[in-house]
Amino acid sequence: MSWIVSLPCTRAEAEALSGEIPALDAAPEAPVVVTREIDEDAGTWQLDAYMDDAPGDDLLRLIQSLAPSAKGIAPTVAELPEEDWVTLSQQGLEPVRAGRFFVHTSSYADRVPPGATSFLIDASQAFGTGGHDTTAGCLAMLDRLARAGAAPRNIADIGTGTGLLAFAAMALWPRARVIASDIDPASIFVTRDNAAINDVPLGRGGGRLALAVAPGTDHPAIRHRAPYDLVIANILAGPLITLAPDIAAATAPGGRAILAGLIARQMDPVLAAYRAHGFRLSARGGSAEWPCLLLTKRRRYGYRRKERALHRASPSDASFGSW
C-alpha cells in the first residue's frame, strides 16, 4: 500500500515547490510532492505528498511546514490502494504543446497531434515534465531558435531533470553533440530511462546524448567538450547567478544560453550577472511570471582580442536583438 498527505496551499507556495526541496531531500525516505490548482476561479491550490509507508509525526510536521498558509489545518492522510503512485500523481498532468513539441504522459500517448515532435515523459522524481511554464518556455525558445535558422553543433543542458530539453535539442539538431548533466544522480537515471522510451541514442559522438552527474559545469566531460554553441540551464535564479562565470566560460563567443527557472522579479539580477560576463539579452519568452531568457555571448574583436571579425552579422542574428 502507499499513502497520500494533502494540504491546501497558495499558488506562491506551489510555485516555490516546483524546484528542489532541500528539507524533503534530507528526509530518510523523501515523499514525492505534487502541487495542483483545484479551482482556477477561486485560486485554490493543493499540495499532495505521496509515500510508501504511513507518515509519522515528524514527516507530517515537515510536510505542513511546506505550506505555511495552512497553519492550523490538519492534513488529510489517506491510504491508497495497490496502484502505481506515479500514475496517480500524474493524472492531473495535461499534455503540453510548445512550438512544434508535444509533451505527454502515458495517459495521452494516443493523442499526439499529426506533425508534432512528441516526447513521452511520465511523472518521476526529476523535474521537467513539460507542464511547468519554465520547461514549456524553454521548449518554445528552442523551437524559435531553430525556426530562425540557428544550427548549434555543440550543446549542453545543465540541470537536465528528466532530459526533456536535451531530447528536444537533439530533435531539432540531430547531428549536434549534446551532453546533459544534473547534480542529482536520480535525475540522470530518469534521463537514461526516458531516453530509452523516446528512442534517444546515448553516447559520446554527434547525434548521441552524453550524460554526467555534476554540480553545474564541474565535470571533466563538460569541460572537455567546451566551448558550446548553446547552453540550456532551466534551474533556479540563485544557481543561475552563481553559475554565470562558469556558463560564460563554457559558452563560445557568439554562442547562446537559454536560462529559465527564475520568476519575473528575479530577471534583473540574473541578467546583471550574465551581462557582467559578456552576455546580452537577445529575446525573452516564457510566461509573464516565469520568463525564459535567450542570451548571446558577445564576440570580441580588435587589437589584443582573442578573435577578429571575419564576416558581418547575418540577418538572422539581428532578428534576435541588438547590442
Side-chain angles (χ1 to χ4, degrees), residues 9 25 28 35 54 56 59-60 67 137 142-144 155 158 164 219 249-250 269:
C9 66
D25 292 341
T35 57
L59 183 54
L60 286 175
L142 286 168
D143 182 71
R144 179 176 177 176
I155 302 169
I158 306 300
L164 173 59
H219 191 281

Side-chain angles (χ1 to χ4, degrees), residues 95-218:
V96 172
R97 189 72 189 257
R100 73 191 71 188
F101 299 111
F102 183 80
V103 185
H104 61 93
T105 63
S106 300
S107 303
Y108 294 88
D110 59 347
R111 307 186 201 181
V112 178
T117 300
S118 67
F119 296 106
L120 193 164
I121 306 288
D122 279 328
S124 67
Q125 292 177 315
F127 178 70
T129 59
H132 196 277
D133 283 355
T134 59
T135 313
C138 288
L139 290 170
M141 188 64 77
L142 286 168
D143 182 71
R144 179 176 177 176
L145 265 179
R147 294 183 189 279
R153 293 173 295 179
N154 196 19
I155 302 169
D157 179 15
I158 306 300
T160 194
T162 60
L164 173 59
L165 298 180
F167 302 165
M170 294 181 69
L172 294 172
W173 302 290
R175 296 184 180 180
R177 299 177 73 214
V178 183
I179 187 168
S181 71
D182 202 286
I183 193 171
D184 184 359
S187 290
I188 297 303
F189 286 120
V190 168
T191 296
R192 189 183 300 276
D193 291 343
N194 285 336
I197 292 169
N198 290 280
D199 297 322
V200 175
L202 300 179
R204 299 182 180 180
R208 295 182 176 274
L209 177 63
L211 301 176
V213 177
T217 62
D218 188 15

